[in-house]
Amino acid sequence: VWGEAIAWPQQLQTALKLLAGMNAMLAIFNLLPGFPLDGGRLMRALLWKRTGNLGSATRVASSAGQFLGYALIVWGALDILRGALIEGIWLIFIGWFVVQSAAASYRQVQARQMLSGIPVRNLMTTGVVTVPANITVKELVEDYFLAHGYTAYPVVEGEKLMGCVSLDRVRELDREKWATVAVSDIVPALSEKQVISPEADGWDAVAKMAREGQPRLLVTEDDRLVGMLSQTNVMRLIRARLELGV
């Protein structure tokens, strides 16, 4: 027991040294000039200051990050061939993560540049199919879900938007009640996280969709539905601008 008590501080010291060494290695690795590592972010900031072009600076820093990631993957493969299986797998995993993160970070900057300053009004889809609040659930299923094939529809009462009814909401209701229950009785109340103004910034709208986990936003003006913004709308614009180089 006394021997173990005396040995414990040495074990603790060894563990602390190992932990300090790992933290030092992580700090050095994080300073390497490859985006999105801190060193890569510093590199991008210097290039941005020199060129005045954020997109170009991000592209160069991202390319450096991907080169670093591929180098780690090759290093890991060589380690595996030398018999260091665990170390090699870790290096390959880290390298793959850096490559993917660098590419994703560049795409995010591209998207932000393309969408910033563009109002939602210019991105949204108009002529959205809406459902009257006073029809029955049976009519909703037959005339909308089966006829158009969408999985959710905005519900309106006159010109006022009440909310959005989904196929999952219908499934929760017993089929025997479909002919007697009105859509207004099953539509959830409209939430702020579902709507956006037509004058809102396009990038802010995309950020809201990501933050709230919404695949689409209802574009409203004075409680009236004027359009819908979906991820498809956004991707269509980005794809077109990339293909045109504008």
Side-chain angles (χ1 to χ4, degrees), residues 15-27:
L16 290 175
K17 286 182 178 179
L18 179 61
L19 183 61
M22 292 175 62
N23 285 333
M25 290 179 61
L26 287 173

Side-chain angles (χ1 to χ4, degrees), residues 4-143:
E4 292 179 356
I6 294 173
W8 171 248
Q10 181 61 42
Q11 294 173 356
L12 180 61
Q13 185 177 9
T14 301
L16 290 175
K17 286 182 178 179
L18 179 61
L19 183 61
M22 292 175 62
N23 285 333
M25 290 179 61
L26 287 173
I28 294 172
F29 174 75
N30 202 37
L31 290 175
L32 293 175
F35 199 73
L37 302 176
D38 287 345
R41 294 181 185 278
L42 178 60
M43 175 185 180
R44 183 181 70 163
L46 293 174
L47 290 171
W48 186 12
K49 182 178 180 181
R50 176 177 297 181
T51 65
N53 189 321
L54 176 60
S56 176
T58 304
R59 183 177 65 253
V60 173
S62 176
S63 297
Q66 292 183 68
F67 176 81
L68 173 63
Y70 285 123
L72 289 173
I73 291 174
V74 172
W75 187 0
L78 292 175
D79 272 357
I80 291 176
L81 292 176
R82 287 194 294 263
L85 180 63
I86 302 301
E87 292 83 349
I89 290 175
W90 269 110
L91 283 172
I92 290 174
F93 175 78
I94 294 171
W96 175 84
F97 175 78
V98 171
V99 169
Q100 297 299 315
S101 298
S105 297
Y106 179 51
R107 288 194 297 269
Q108 183 180 38
V109 170
Q110 279 186 306
R112 183 166 192 163
Q113 286 188 314
M114 291 178 185
L115 297 173
S116 293
I118 299 178
V120 169
R121 186 183 297 278
N122 293 354
L123 299 172
M124 69 184 187
T125 298
T126 56
V128 180
V129 178
T130 59
V131 173
N134 59 352
I135 67 171
T136 65
V137 174
K138 184 175 184 292
E139 291 173 307
L140 169 67
V141 171
E142 294 176 350
D143 298 340

Side-chain angles (χ1 to χ4, degrees), residues 158-221:
E159 291 190 348
K160 182 179 180 181
L161 177 64
M162 295 186 63
C164 197
V165 63
S166 67
L167 196 57
D168 290 336
R169 195 74 172 182
V170 173
R171 290 196 191 103
E172 295 173 0
L173 184 68
D174 292 338
R175 188 181 295 267
E176 293 77 15
K177 298 180 180 179
W178 285 8
T180 57
V181 174
V183 172
S184 58
D185 294 327
I186 67 168
V187 60
L190 191 64
S191 168
E192 178 61 31
K193 68 180 183 180
Q194 296 175 285
V195 299
I196 192 88
S197 165
E199 306 308 325
D201 185 80
W203 176 252
D204 291 341
V206 170
K208 182 173 184 176
M209 280 192 283
R211 184 175 62 253
E212 303 292 354
Q214 296 288 332
R216 65 188 65 84
L217 293 174
L218 302 173
V219 186
T220 60
E221 194 170 39

